[in-house]
C-alpha cells in the first residue's frame, strides 16, 4: 500500500542496486593480487587452476558475507530505531555486541575454544542472551517495555559486560591475541561452511522484519495512537525485538562487532526516501550491503597489500557521516 | 440531526457503553466505579479536576487500558474480546501526545489512518485514496497536503491529527484534550471542526476537556468526574451549575447564560478561589488578607 508515486523509490532502489553490483565486482577484483575481468568470468564459470582464479574464489565468500552482514545489520538497525523511536538505537548501543564479546572471551579463556566455527555459536549465544536480559530489564515496571527503558537497559548492560570482558581479558595475554582479530570485526576469514548454519537464522530475521514493517509505521505515531489504529503494540514490539536478536546475533557471530552500520543505514535511507518505514526497510537492505562491502574494498585498497578490517573502516567512514547527519534537522528525530 | 450520504454509508449507530468500570494505574485505583452509555451521534465532554481519572476513563473506553473490573461493550460485545483492528474501524482515538515522524507530510500522516483497513499486503486502493481526500477536505487541509507536518501551526497540526482519525472512517471518535496547548483561536478552530463533523457526518464525538465553558458551548452532554466517580451527567444546563463547580473543582463561581450561544457560562468568583484553598496554608495568603483588610 503505497500512497505516493513510486518514482523516487524506484529510482533510489535502482541506483543503489547498480552501485551494489559495482561494489561487489570491485570486491572480487581488488586485493593483494590483481586480477582481470576475464579471470572473474573464469572463476565463476569454468574450472581452472590459475592463481588469479583461486584468488577470486577466496574473495567470493568474503563478498557474500559482506552482503549478508550488511543486509542483516542495516535491517536490524532500521527495526530497532523504528520500535524504540530512538534515532541512536543500534546493535552496539543495545548491548548485543558486548554480550557476544564477553561470551567469546570467556570461551577462549576458560574453555580453550579457538576455531571460528566455535566462535559463531558462542557469539550467537552471548548476544541472544544479552538481548533477552536487556528486554527483561526494559520490561520491568507496570506498563511493559518502553523505548526509553530498553535503551537505558542496553547502555547499562553494555557497560557492565564491557567491564567484565576487560577483567577476563587483561590478565591473559594469549587470550588477547586470539580475541583481537574477532574484536575488530571483519569478513576476511569468510567461509561458506561457517555461514551455512547461521543463514537460516538470518533469513528468518529478515522475513520477520519485513512482515513487521507496516506495524512499525503505526508505532512511530506513538504507542497509544498505534493501539487506537488497531495494532497489538506489545506483540509487534516483542516480535521486532526477536527479529533484531536473530539478525544482530547472526551478524556478530559471523563477522564480529561491526559498528555504525546499524546506526547509519536507516538514517541514509530516511534521508533518501522520507519517513515511511516500508520504504526505509526496502532501501536498508541495499544500503547495508553497499556500506559493508564498500568498506571492505576500501580497507583492501588503502593499505595494499595488507587489509584493514571492515569494522575499522565502517567506523572511520561512519563516524563523520553520522556527525554530518546529526547536524541536519530531518534526521534529528525518527 | 441531518443525515448525509457519507454518514449512512459508514455505519449506523454503533453503541459504546461502559458498565461499572474500576480502573487502576500502577497499583493505584484511579476510577472507582463508573458507568456511561454514550448516546450515538452526539458530542459529549468529560470534565473534572486534574487526576480525577478522566483521561484514564477515556483510554478504557478506547480499549487501550484494561479495566480491573467492569466491561466496556461495543454493540453489546465486550470490546476486549473483539479483534482490535475491527474495533479500529468503528472507534477512533486521538491521544494527548501523538508523535509525528520527522519530515512526514500531512497527506502521508493522514494516510496512516487507513492502517486498520489493510491486511497484510493489500495495496493502496481508490477507496483508501477517497477516504484520505475526504478527510483532508473536511479538515480544510487539501491545499496543504504536501506540506511537512513540522512546519504547521498548532491548530493546523491538530487538524491533521483529526484528519488521520477521519481517514480511519470510524463512527465514534474519542479525543483526549484535543485543545490543550492551543490558543483560543485554535481551540475554536478545532472544536468547530469537531462540531461540524458531528452535525454533518453523524460522528459520535467524546472528548476530555479542561475548559468548562468550551465544554458547555460545544457539548450535547457533559460527564463530570470527581474522585474516580461520576458526579453528574446531563446536558450542559443541568451539569454546569455553581454548586457543581464548587463541589468538583473547589472554587466559587457565577454561572450565567451566554447571550449569544445560550450555553451556560462560568465565571470564577474573585478571590474566592484563594479562600477555597486556605486549608493548604500558605503565608502569602495570610499576608494578602492582611493588606486587603
Amino acid at each position: 500500500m503505497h500512497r505516493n508515486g513510486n518514482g523516487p523509490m524506484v529510482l533510489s532502489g535502482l541506483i543503489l542496486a547498480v552501485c551494489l553490483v559495482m561494489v561487489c565486482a570491485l570486491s572480487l577484483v581488488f586485493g593483494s593480487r590483481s586480477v582481470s575481468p576475464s579471470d572473474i568470468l573464469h572463476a565463476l564459470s569454468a574450472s581452472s587452476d590459475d592463481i588469479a582464479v583461486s584468488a577470486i574464489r577466496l574473495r567470493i565468500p568474503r563478498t557474500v558475507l559482506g552482503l549478508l552482514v550488511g543486509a542483516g545489520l542495516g535491517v536490524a538497525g532500521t527495526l530497532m530505531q523504528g520500535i524504540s523511536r530512538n534515532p541512536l538505537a543500534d546493535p552496539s548501543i543495545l548491548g548485543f555486541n558486548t554480550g557476544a564479546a564477553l561470551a567469546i572471551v570467556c570461551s577462549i579463556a576458560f574453555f580453550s575454544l579457538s576455531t571460528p566455527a566455535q566462535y559463531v555459536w558462542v557469539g550467537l549465544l552471548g548476544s541472544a542472551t544479552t538481548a533477552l536480559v536487556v528486554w527483561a530489564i526494559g520490561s520491568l515496571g507496570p506498563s511493559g517495555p518502553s523505548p526509553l527503558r530498553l535503551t537505558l537497559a542496553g547502555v547499562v548492560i553494555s557497560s557492565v559486560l564491557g567491564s567484565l570482558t576487560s577483567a577476563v581479558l587483561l590478565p591473559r595475554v594469549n587470550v588477547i591475541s586470539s580475541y583481537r582479530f574477532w574484536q575488530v570485526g571483519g569478513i576476511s576469514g569468510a567461509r561458506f561452511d561457517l555461514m551455512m548454519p547461521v543463514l537460516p537464522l538470518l533469513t528468518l530475521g529478515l522475513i520477520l522484519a519485513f512482515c513487521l514493517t507496516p506495524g512499525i509505521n503505526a508505532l512511530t505515531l506513538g504507542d497509544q495512537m498505534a493501539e487506537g489504529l488497531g495494532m497489538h503494540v506489545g506483540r509487534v514490539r516483542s516480535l521486532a525485538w526477536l527479529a533484531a536478536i536473530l539478525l544482530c546475533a547472526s551478524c556478530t557471530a559471523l563477522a564480529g562487532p561491526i559498528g555504525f552500520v546499524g546506526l547509519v543505514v536507516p538514517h541514509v535511507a530516511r534521508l533518501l526516501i522520507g519517513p515511511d518505514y516500508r520504504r526505509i526497510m526496502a532501501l536498508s537492505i541495499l544500503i547495508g550491503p553497499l556500506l559493508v562491502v564498500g568498506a571492505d574494498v576500501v580497507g583492501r585498497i588503502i593499505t595494499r597489500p595488507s587489509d584493514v578490517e571492515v569494522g575499522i573502516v565502517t567506523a572511520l567512514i561512519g563516524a563523520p557521516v553520522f556527525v554530518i547527519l546529526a547536524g541536519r534537522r530531518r534526521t534529528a528525530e525518527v | 440531526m441531518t443525515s448525509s450520504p457519507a454518514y449512512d454509508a459508514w455505519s449506523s449507530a454503533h453503541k459504546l457503553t461502559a458498565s461499572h468500570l474500576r480502573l487502576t494505574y500502577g497499583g493505584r485505583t484511579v476510577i472507582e466505579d463508573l458507568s456511561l452509555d454514550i448516546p450515538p451521534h452526539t458530542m459529549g465532554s468529560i470534565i473534572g479536576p486534574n487526576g480525577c481519572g478522566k483521561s484514564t476513563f477515556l483510554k478504557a473506553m478506547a480499549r487501550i487500558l484494561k479495566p480491573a473490573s467492569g466491561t466496556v461493550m461495543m454493540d453489546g460485545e465486550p470490546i476486549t474480546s473483539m479483534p482490535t483492528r475491527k474495533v479500529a474501524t468503528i472507534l477512533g482515538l486521538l491521544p494527548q501526545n501523538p508523535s509525528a515522524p520527522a519530515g512526514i507530510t500531512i497527506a502521508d500522516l493522514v494516510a496512516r489512518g487507513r492502517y486498520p483497513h489493510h491486511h497484510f499486503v493489500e495495496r493502496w486502493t481508490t477507496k483508501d485514496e477517497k477516504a484520505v481526500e475526504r478527510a483532508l477536505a473536511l479538515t480544510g487541509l487539501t491545499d496543504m497536503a504536501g506540506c511537512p507536518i513540522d512546519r504547521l501551526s498548532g491548530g493546523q497540526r491538530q487538524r491533521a491529527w483529526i484528519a488521520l482519525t477521519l481517514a480511519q472512517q470510524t463512527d465514534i471518535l474519542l479525543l483526549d484534550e484535543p485543545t490543550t496547548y492551543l490558543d483560543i483561536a485554535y481551540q475554536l478552530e478545532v472544536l468547530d471542526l469537531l462540531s461540524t463533523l458531528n452535525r454533518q457526518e453523524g460522528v459520535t464525538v467524546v472528548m476530555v476537556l479542561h475548559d468548562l465553558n468550551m465544554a458547555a458551548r460545544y457539548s450535547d452532554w457533559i460527564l463530570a468526574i470527581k474522585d474516580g466517580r461520576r458526579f453528574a451527567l446531563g446536558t450542559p444546563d443541568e451539569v454546569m451549575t455553581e454548586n457543581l463547580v464548587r463541589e468538583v473543582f473547589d472554587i466559587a463561581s457565577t454561572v450565567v447564560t451566554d447571550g449569544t450561544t445560550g450555553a451556560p457560562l462560568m465565571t470564577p468568583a474573585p478571590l474566592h478561589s484563594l479562600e477555597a484553598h486556605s486549608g493548604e496554608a500558605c503565608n502569602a495568603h495570610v499576608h494578602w488578607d492582611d493588606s486587603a483588610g
Side-chain angles (χ1 to χ4, degrees), chain B residues 232-246:
Chain B
L233 174 66
T235 62
D237 283 325
E238 291 163 358
V239 174
M240 276 281 274
T241 60
E242 288 160 11
N243 180 48
L244 175 125
V245 175
R246 185 172 55 248

Side-chain angles (χ1 to χ4, degrees), chain B residues 177-205:
Chain B
E177 296 188 25
T179 56
T180 309
Y181 308 126
L182 298 181
D183 71 30
I184 182 76
Y186 292 139
Q187 288 183 31
L188 290 170
E189 182 183 312
V190 165
L191 291 169
D192 280 341
L193 167 63
L194 293 172
S195 175
T196 309
L197 291 170
N198 168 252
R199 276 181 286 106
Q200 292 182 2
E201 312 294 322
V203 179
T204 306
V205 176

Side-chain angles (χ1 to χ4, degrees), chain A:
Chain A
M1 99 179 200
H2 281 299
R3 198 187 163 269
N4 294 333
N6 284 325
M9 183 64 196
V10 170
L11 189 68
S12 311
L14 227 82
I15 292 174
L16 287 170
V18 169
C19 291
L20 190 57
V21 170
M22 278 160 53
V23 164
C24 287
L26 289 176
S27 169
L28 294 179
V29 172
F30 280 109
S32 320
R33 172 175 293 275
S34 302
V35 295
S36 68
S38 63
D39 290 329
I40 295 179
L41 290 176
H42 272 128
L44 292 173
S45 56
S47 54
S48 161
D49 294 329
D50 197 334
I51 298 173
V53 169
S54 39
I56 293 165
R57 288 222 172 114
L58 282 176
R59 290 174 202 156
I60 291 173
R62 181 176 187 161
T63 308
V64 170
L65 183 58
L67 292 172
L68 291 177
V69 169
L73 290 177
V75 168
T78 303
L79 206 55
M80 288 164 117
Q81 293 188 5
I83 57 165
S84 64
R85 287 195 294 275
N86 177 355
L88 292 176
D90 155 273
S92 53
I93 286 176
L94 291 171
F96 293 73
N97 290 343
T98 43
L102 179 63
I104 285 175
V105 165
C106 289
S107 72
I108 301 170
F110 303 125
F111 303 102
S112 309
L113 302 187
S114 56
T115 66
Q118 290 165 333
Y119 291 173
V120 166
W121 294 110
V122 172
L124 202 57
L125 192 70
S127 52
T129 311
T130 313
L132 291 175
V133 171
V134 168
W135 176 263
I137 293 178
S139 307
L140 295 176
S143 51
S146 78
L148 181 64
R149 270 201 294 272
L150 283 178
T151 311
L152 285 175
V155 170
V156 169
I157 295 291
S158 264
S159 61
V160 170
L161 297 183
S163 308
L164 286 176
T165 305
S166 303
V168 175
L169 198 58
L170 289 176
R172 297 177 175 80
V173 179
N174 58 327
V175 179
I176 293 180
S177 64
S178 324
Y179 168 73
R180 65 194 167 112
F181 289 106
W182 182 84
Q183 192 260 328
V184 291
I187 56 174
S188 55
R191 277 161 42 193
F192 280 123
D193 61 314
L194 292 181
M195 283 181 240
M196 289 318 285
V198 183
L199 198 58
L201 299 178
L202 196 68
T203 314
L204 187 63
L206 287 176
I207 292 171
L208 201 51
F210 276 86
C211 293
L212 291 168
T213 308
I216 291 175
N217 260 348
L219 203 53
T220 52
L221 304 175
D223 288 10
Q224 288 185 21
M225 195 81 214
E227 289 201 44
L229 287 171
M231 198 186 103
H232 292 280
V233 169
R235 192 186 298 171
V236 168
R237 194 168 270 149
S238 311
L239 284 173
W241 194 256
L242 177 69
I245 292 175
L246 289 173
L247 292 171
C248 296
S250 314
C251 293
T252 310
L254 287 172
I258 296 180
F260 279 104
V261 178
L263 185 64
V264 171
V265 166
H267 286 282
V268 175
R270 204 172 288 128
L271 207 64
L272 288 173
I273 206 66
D276 186 335
Y277 265 90
R278 287 163 306 184
R279 295 173 166 200
I280 296 176
M281 198 63 93
L283 288 194
S284 293
I285 205 167
L286 294 172
I287 298 171
L290 187 61
L291 181 59
V292 171
V293 178
D296 187 46
V297 171
V298 170
R300 273 183 260 169
I301 295 170
I302 48 176
T303 55
R304 228 169 158 183
S306 70
D307 284 359
V308 178
E309 288 291 359
V310 67
I312 297 171
V313 181
T314 53
L316 288 177
I317 300 174
V321 167
F322 189 72
V323 170
I324 295 166
L325 285 177
R328 300 180 61 139
R329 200 168 151 273
R330 269 182 79 180
T331 52
E333 290 163 51
V334 176

Side-chain angles (χ1 to χ4, degrees), chain B residues 127-150:
Chain B
K127 196 170 160 241
D128 295 317
E129 194 55 44
K130 283 221 171 75
V132 171
E133 277 169 13
R134 192 161 167 283
L136 290 169
L138 284 169
T139 49
L141 293 170
T142 307
D143 295 339
M144 306 170 68
C147 193
I149 193 128
D150 8 15

